[in-house]
Amino acid sequence: MKKILLPLVAMMAIVLMNSCQTSKQVPYMQNIDSLDLSASKGLFDARIMPKDQLTITVHTSDPVVSHPFNLTVSRSLSADGALSTGGGSLQGYLVDNEGYINFPIVGRIHVQGLTKRECERTIEDKIAPYLAKSEKPVVTVRMSSFRITLLGDFTSPKVVPVTTEKMSVLEALASGGDLTLYGKRQNVMLIREDATGKKSVHRIDLTDANFINSPYYYVQQNDVIYVEPNATKAKNSALGQSTSIWFSFISISTSVASLLVNILRD
């Protein structure tokens, strides 16, 4: 019986030691009360990059005037293969590798590096010569393809669309159901691609609140956030199969011992 109990006691001790160690590594922003947040002041605006999909609408006092500037798909293919008609939906503009979109009437417009508002003003200026001087067009630009990818030790790894065009790392974690207890919070990997296609890797320590002041607090289009498993999960993974075997062995041995005791008593 001692031979059976010793492995069980050892495994329980390992689990308790790991749980104590993990509990100190789980809380985020452990030094937040002593942090100077003045460096984080400022409003974030995402900037347009090649391969972004833009939805652009132009509104004027007379809808007929703005119609040529709005790309719409008025007919769509239904499930049975028939063409259906309707009011139409907006067609997106794909930013090419050189940072241009091909806008109706006006032609090519360079939009790479612009914020949404800067892009709206640029288009307003480009279409102004085609409108009456009294006309004040309203241009609306949306980044319809803004999304990030969450991988690794999230409760729910997924691709997350960012409809507001602004998301912090903390919001991204919440979108993935937060990290599991096994996620390595001190070494979160953020993979980012710039407008030239160059990739860079940045490390974020979620237990240190200083990441709020960093340029990586807000995510950008196509960011990938990867969370590595901590040492506890690695150990558990290595011991998982042998642990299952031990528990099965202990359970069978206990049942056999109990059966023998009952037989000998009779």
Side-chain angles (χ1 to χ4, degrees):
M1 185 62 72
K2 289 183 179 180
K3 292 182 179 181
I4 296 174
L5 290 176
L6 283 175
L8 181 59
V9 172
M11 284 185 289
M12 291 181 65
I14 292 173
V15 171
L16 289 173
M17 289 173 63
N18 286 334
S19 64
C20 292
Q21 182 181 7
T22 303
S23 64
K24 297 178 182 179
Q25 300 172 348
V26 169
Y28 299 151
M29 300 174 289
Q30 296 178 20
N31 58 335
I32 187 68
D33 293 331
S34 59
L35 181 66
D36 180 8
L37 294 175
S38 58
S40 66
K41 183 179 180 180
L43 298 176
F44 174 81
D45 274 315
R47 295 191 175 273
I48 298 171
M49 298 176 61
K51 300 307 179 185
D52 278 347
Q53 188 85 15
L54 305 180
T55 301
I56 303 174
T57 56
V58 179
H59 298 277
T60 55
S61 57
D62 183 356
V64 176
V65 174
S66 60
H67 181 73
F69 299 103
N70 290 307
L71 287 179
T72 58
V73 180
S74 58
R75 305 173 71 185
S76 59
L77 193 65
S78 61
D80 58 1
L83 287 173
S84 60
T85 59
S89 59
L90 290 173
Q91 181 175 336
Y93 297 82
L94 182 65
V95 182
D96 66 22
N97 288 341
E98 296 176 343
Y100 286 86
I101 58 172
N102 195 19
F103 201 73
I105 310 297
V106 175
R108 280 162 58 85
I109 301 176
H110 191 267
V111 297
Q112 176 185 321
L114 302 180
T115 65
K116 183 182 72 169
R117 186 65 193 111
E118 290 169 348
C119 183
E120 290 169 347
R121 289 171 179 165
T122 298
I123 295 173
E124 288 170 1
D125 293 339
K126 293 291 186 180
I127 66 176
Y130 301 92
L131 305 175
K133 292 184 178 180
S134 59
E135 188 67 69
K136 302 297 181 183
V138 176
V139 177
T140 303
V141 176
R142 296 295 303 272
M143 298 181 189
S144 53
S145 61
F146 196 134
R147 57 178 54 85
I148 62 170
T149 303
L150 307 179
L151 295 173
D153 265 283
F154 283 94
T155 301
S156 179
K158 63 177 68 174
V159 175
V160 180
V162 184
T163 57
T164 60
E165 299 165 11
K166 176 182 177 181
M167 177 179 281
S168 70
V169 169
L170 295 177
E171 290 177 293
L173 300 183
S175 297
D178 202 359
L179 277 60
T180 69
L181 290 177
Y182 297 109
K184 189 181 292 185
R185 287 148 171 78
Q186 294 85 358
N187 196 26
V188 174
M189 184 188 304
L190 187 147
I191 303 173
R192 178 164 291 176
E193 181 178 327
D194 65 17
T196 67
K198 181 181 178 181
K199 283 79 173 175
S200 57
V201 178
H202 311 278
R203 303 283 180 170
I204 300 174
D205 183 356
L206 297 176
T207 65
D208 182 0
N210 278 294
F211 80 91
I212 296 177
N213 293 326
S214 79
Y216 312 112
Y217 179 68
Y218 289 106
V219 299
Q220 294 183 7
Q221 304 97 302
N222 305 315
D223 275 358
V224 177
I225 299 177
Y226 172 68
V227 179
E228 300 177 50
N230 61 20
T232 301
K233 185 170 184 178
K235 291 177 183 177
N236 289 348
S237 177
L239 294 173
Q241 186 175 0
S242 60
T243 301
S244 299
I245 294 173
W246 270 109
F247 275 112
S248 298
F249 174 74
I250 292 171
S251 177
I252 294 172
S253 299
T254 303
S255 299
V256 172
S258 177
L259 179 61
L260 289 174
V261 170
N262 290 332
I263 292 174
L264 292 174
R265 284 179 179 177
D266 295 337

